[in-house]
Amino acid sequence: GEVDMSEVATFVKRATTACQRPACRSLGASRRAPRTRLSTGLGPLAAREASGRALSSVLRRARAQQQQHQDEEAFEDEEAFELPHEVENRYLKLLKRQERTARHLSEKHSGGQKQRKTHKVMTISSGYLKGSPIVSPNDKKVRPMMSKVRSAVFSMLLSRIGASQLPEQCRWLDLFAGTGSVGIEAISRGCGEAHFVELDPWTAGEVLGRNIAALGVEDECAVHVESVFDFLSKFGYKAEAMGGPFDFVSVCPPYNDMNFTDLVESLEQSQVLSARSFLVFEYPKEVASCLKENLGPLKQLVNRTYGRTTVAIYGPQELD
């Protein structure tokens, strides 16, 4: 049964008093000693030893009972801890700690990197958005097509199709979009739909997406944040959903760390081009040998050099 703690206290008090009683006492005390011996049947030393053993036994039982109560309380706490709302709260706290840790590590990792910024250095050259500013990264990681080159390219395209502006039903694909200046220029000049492919998430969100939103052409534009090579290789699976091959495709790749031979082969094997498409390909003159007279179903119509930059325009075979 359970131990009554009041009885334990009384027993401990009596045992302590007996243990502290001296062996040699006065004459009056010696006369009372036989009654103690008769009642216990033990001498003073044996009585102290027996009291000590009894006290240890009682204390062990008391500690065992206390430990049992603590274990029961802990078990009840564990059962209460498993309540759904408390589990959810603990899980959310854990997620917050992990987010703080990840944010701290990210800030620590990027502490030595310079924060990227934008500036306004270009404008749309023609169309209903003429003069509208376009933001560009304030670094050399993005190299947009120069304004004079962009104006010359659209003038040559319009002269080839015999129109003053692009048909409203046509679709434009801007590969290595960067700022989106080429595709947005196409929208300004009458194109009804433009798709932009940009690998860098920061550029896609803080530059390209910002330009599209600022000029109010979100309904005409779609941004694909992925590698150009992945987009070209997977286009066949979604060509029908996206409207089939594009009418116009512009390619403005970075000059450094780019395999132009692989890029040309990817374009030829992809379904983004048809026999009626036009392709604008900007490249450094050092890799001119990578571009032949024909690219897929198209033939080269124009090849112009502007400083270090060269632009080749490919179109239908029947055009001169």
Side-chain angles (χ1 to χ4, degrees):
E2 294 188 353
V3 177
D4 188 345
M5 298 308 294
S6 62
E7 293 180 0
V8 173
T10 302
F11 186 90
V12 171
K13 183 176 180 181
R14 290 177 179 176
T16 303
T17 303
C19 293
Q20 292 177 350
R21 186 177 296 144
C24 297
R25 304 178 65 89
S26 63
L27 181 59
S30 63
R31 291 176 179 174
R32 293 192 296 270
R35 290 196 296 270
T36 304
R37 288 195 294 272
L38 290 174
S39 62
T40 62
L42 298 173
L45 181 58
R48 281 196 292 272
E49 292 177 352
S51 298
R53 286 193 298 270
L55 176 60
S56 298
S57 175
V58 172
L59 291 178
R60 281 196 300 270
R61 291 176 60 192
R63 292 193 188 100
Q65 183 175 342
Q66 184 179 11
Q67 184 63 41
Q68 182 180 359
H69 289 318
Q70 291 177 352
D71 293 341
E72 291 175 354
E73 292 175 357
F75 180 76
E76 292 174 357
D77 290 342
E78 290 177 357
E79 288 185 332
F81 176 74
E82 295 301 326
L83 292 176
H85 68 280
E86 295 187 358
V87 173
E88 181 180 2
N89 290 338
R90 181 175 176 84
Y91 180 68
L92 292 176
K93 290 180 181 179
L94 178 62
L95 285 180
K96 289 181 180 180
R97 284 200 302 269
Q98 291 177 340
E99 289 175 358
R100 287 195 299 268
T101 302
R103 186 164 56 249
H104 173 73
L105 293 175
S106 177
E107 292 174 354
K108 182 179 179 180
H109 177 71
S110 61
Q113 299 180 2
K114 186 177 180 181
Q115 184 178 5
R116 299 182 69 183
K117 299 181 180 180
T118 61
H119 59 170
K120 297 180 179 179
V121 295
M122 298 184 301
T123 59
I124 299 299
S125 60
S126 186
Y128 76 93
L129 295 174
K130 181 179 180 179
S132 299
I134 296 178
V135 298
S136 177
N138 193 14
D139 55 38
K140 297 181 180 180
K141 293 183 179 181
V142 174
R143 186 194 51 76
M145 181 182 287
M146 295 183 296
S147 296
K148 66 175 184 178
V149 176
R150 192 169 70 248
S151 297
V153 164
F154 278 93
S155 295
M156 288 185 285
L157 286 174
L158 292 173
S159 67
R160 294 289 174 175
I161 65 174
S164 58
Q165 67 176 15
L166 297 174
E168 184 179 358
Q169 67 273 16
C170 75
R171 298 161 53 248
W172 191 288
L173 175 61
D174 189 351
L175 299 176
F176 304 99
T179 63
S181 59
V182 179
I184 295 175
E185 181 85 29
I187 295 292
S188 179
R189 292 175 179 261
C191 181
E193 180 182 335
H195 290 254
F196 303 84
V197 180
E198 172 57 44
L199 175 61
D200 181 37
W202 184 87
T203 302
E206 298 298 324
V207 180
L208 175 56
R210 181 178 167 186
N211 286 331
I212 292 173
L215 298 178
V217 291
E218 298 98 324
D219 293 341
E220 294 88 355
C221 299
V223 178
H224 306 269
V225 185
E226 61 180 311
S227 163
V228 166
F229 291 94
D230 289 343
F231 181 87
L232 293 175
S233 63
K234 298 176 183 177
F235 183 76
Y237 300 105
K238 51 188 175 183
E240 184 176 355
M242 294 183 64
F246 290 88
D247 301 292
F248 298 89
V249 178
S250 57
V251 186
C252 303
Y255 289 177
N256 299 325
D257 301 324
M258 176 57 59
N259 189 320
F260 283 85
T261 300
D262 290 347
L263 179 56
V264 171
E265 291 178 357
S266 296
L267 285 167
E268 290 179 329
Q269 296 171 5
S270 175
Q271 299 182 27
V272 298
L273 297 172
S274 72
R276 305 295 302 170
S277 300
F278 286 87
L279 171 67
V280 178
F281 200 120
E282 179 182 323
Y283 62 96
K285 57 185 179 182
E286 292 83 0
V287 299
S289 59
C290 296
L291 278 80
K292 308 301 181 180
E293 289 297 319
N294 294 284
L295 196 156
L298 308 177
K299 73 173 183 180
Q300 189 177 106
L301 304 176
V302 177
N303 193 42
R304 300 280 177 87
T305 300
Y306 304 86
R308 186 193 173 193
T309 299
T310 302
V311 176
I313 297 180
Y314 291 82
Q317 294 286 343
E318 62 268 21
L319 294 180
D320 295 329

